[in-house]
Amino acid sequence: EMITDKKLDTVFARLIKEIYPLVCHACGKKLAKGTIDCQAAHFIGRRAHILRWNPRNVLPACSRCNGFDQSHVFELGKKINMYYGDGTAEHFREIQHMTKKWDEYDRKRLYELFCCTEDISMEELRKKILDGYDEIQGEKTK
């Protein structure tokens, strides 16, 4: 089965809402999973293929912030630094123009990883996803 960008985007967005608290990471509004208002907001846009499916680059946000308020990106950057350490957002801005060709094998591996639905805590699931992503990404950069 061919894993398209759209198919990978869909499972990735669903996963983001599982591994982070369901609040808008820009304005603080509480979000409800499965609603149009609960979105996966990229700090560095989806066109930046090196970061497109990086779970550290995407956080839940409300539709207003994600679609109509460009200042939400600043807030996402602050939250990314809060989760992953000072300088993480700045590093993403530095590497945003790097390209990454995901071959079909890696796309399938990402798809399987992002479909993970184990009954573990949000933090444990986030760690498992990040470790798996780093393994897949790292194999291509060595």
Side-chain angles (χ1 to χ4, degrees), residues 19 119-131:
I19 65 172
D119 190 22
I120 55 179
S121 74
M122 180 190 319
E123 292 78 16
E124 291 171 314
L125 180 58
R126 182 168 53 231
K127 181 177 179 353
K128 178 180 176 149
I129 297 299
L130 293 172
D131 289 348

Side-chain angles (χ1 to χ4, degrees), residues 12-84:
F12 180 64
R14 191 176 309 131
L15 173 76
I16 292 302
K17 298 162 196 168
E18 294 292 330
I19 65 172
Y20 292 105
L22 279 181
V23 296
C24 177
H25 282 71
C27 72
K29 175 183 176 182
K30 188 172 177 157
L31 302 173
K33 194 183 323 180
T35 66
I36 193 75
D37 196 39
C38 185
Q39 300 185 355
H42 286 73
F43 172 63
I44 301 295
R46 290 184 345 170
R47 287 190 182 98
H49 290 287
I50 190 105
L51 296 167
R52 182 173 186 159
W53 296 301
N54 185 327
R56 292 175 182 90
N57 180 51
V58 183
L59 298 169
C62 70
S63 57
R64 187 188 68 76
C65 287
N66 195 31
F68 303 104
D69 182 0
Q70 285 301 309
S71 68
H72 85 283
V73 174
F74 176 75
E75 294 300 325
L76 291 180
K78 289 185 351 186
K79 295 296 190 307
I80 287 169
N81 283 341
M82 182 189 80
Y83 281 110
Y84 301 110

Side-chain angles (χ1 to χ4, degrees), residues 1-16 40 42 46 52-53 104 106-116:
E1 173 185 12
M2 180 87 153
I3 305 299
T4 63
D5 284 356
K6 183 175 181 170
K7 192 170 194 172
L8 202 48
D9 285 341
T10 300
V11 297
F12 180 64
R14 191 176 309 131
L15 173 76
I16 292 302
H42 286 73
R46 290 184 345 170
R52 182 173 186 159
W53 296 301
E104 187 59 26
D106 285 337
R107 294 162 81 80
K108 284 181 180 178
R109 290 174 67 199
L110 285 175
Y111 183 82
E112 290 170 7
L113 176 67
F114 295 160
C115 286
C116 180

